[in-house]
Amino acid sequence: MTTDPNHRTIAAVLLAAGESTRMREGDAELPSKALLPWKGGEPLIAYQVHALHEAGYDPIVVVLGHEAEAVAAALPEDVEVNALYNPRYEQGRTWSIMAGLLPIASYETDAVLIISVDQPRSAAMLRALRERWMDGEPFIVVPSLNGKAGHPPLFDGTLIPELLQTNEQTQGLRQVMLNFADKRVFLDVDDPLTLTNLNTHEDYEAALRLA
């Protein structure tokens, strides 16, 4: 961990490797979730990267998989990211989590946010999570809305080895959250998208209205 109390390295892993199978049911021509137009017309992947950058996360690791070339081309040019390809993306989300964590596990990282591209979040909410961690360095910070836990979780860097052990059989991040439930804090936020996942086209349309 960083010894300078005035500097904290808080990374973000943005998962953008999925096939968007449920989103494309009934319409195979729909683009990957990462390429869906979001606020201001920019692709969702670009919006997410800009929000993470504005919120102060650095480094930002983007994990690609399905339609990797198209998604990589949609990344914003004004933010430095580490984009990598996960060849095992079809085998489950935990493989993308591990792929994204490996680059930041090799150097001092104080905390890491793990967020999926289908969880659009504002820079204000992402900044609030980062600041809450810095306020007391809890093991896990989770946003909540109206008493319900949302996404994304922010993990203390000491949990990276634990996160690297996740797999599909042990429920991935959920198991880590359960293992450290007594060291988890919930941050009440007023972002209406706190509980949102863009699993279907109906979810996407509803989220656009909320945004």
Side-chain angles (χ1 to χ4, degrees):
M1 299 301 109
T2 305
T3 56
D4 181 358
N6 297 314
H7 176 76
R8 290 290 183 267
T9 299
I10 306 178
V13 174
L14 176 55
L15 308 174
E19 297 181 79
S20 309
T21 304
R22 290 179 61 188
M23 179 74 71
R24 288 168 157 171
E25 287 179 358
D27 190 349
E29 298 304 314
L30 281 174
S32 164
K33 292 179 187 178
L35 301 176
L36 290 169
W38 195 245
K39 296 172 63 175
E42 68 177 342
L44 184 55
I45 186 73
Y47 169 82
Q48 293 277 51
V49 169
H50 279 135
L52 289 165
H53 176 70
E54 184 180 337
Y57 292 87
D58 182 48
I60 299 171
V61 178
V62 179
V63 183
L64 307 173
H66 186 66
E67 296 185 3
E69 290 187 7
V71 177
L75 289 168
E77 297 181 355
D78 58 342
V79 178
E80 182 177 350
V81 302
N82 178 2
L84 56 88
Y85 176 72
N86 169 27
R88 306 181 75 170
Y89 71 90
E90 294 178 304
Q91 297 179 30
R93 184 169 177 264
T94 54
W95 287 105
S96 289
I97 292 172
M98 287 188 286
L101 286 173
L102 284 173
I104 65 172
S106 60
Y107 62 88
E108 294 182 346
T109 301
D110 295 289
V112 58
L113 182 90
I114 300 179
I115 181 170
S116 296
V117 74
D118 61 357
Q119 298 168 348
R121 301 296 186 260
S122 68
M125 192 263 249
L126 296 171
R127 185 184 301 111
L129 286 173
R130 184 176 63 82
E131 291 176 348
R132 176 61 185 88
W133 178 84
M134 293 181 67
D135 188 45
E137 300 186 14
F139 271 36
I140 306 172
V141 184
V142 179
S144 66
L145 180 68
N146 300 325
K148 295 181 179 180
H151 299 280
L154 175 62
F155 297 92
D156 188 84
T158 57
L159 293 182
I160 290 177
E162 185 94 7
L163 292 167
L164 285 169
Q165 298 300 314
T166 60
N167 57 63
E168 296 299 315
Q169 289 70 40
T170 58
Q171 303 183 70
L173 295 184
R174 182 177 300 178
Q175 188 60 52
V176 178
M177 305 273 268
L178 290 173
N179 292 346
F180 296 89
D182 59 335
K183 297 181 179 180
R184 174 178 51 177
V185 300
F186 293 92
L187 177 67
D188 292 329
V189 297
D190 59 5
D191 189 326
L193 296 176
T194 301
L195 310 178
T196 297
N197 288 288
L198 306 183
N199 292 318
T200 67
H201 199 268
E202 290 72 24
D203 294 338
Y204 167 64
E205 296 290 346
L208 275 177
R209 291 192 292 270
L210 284 175

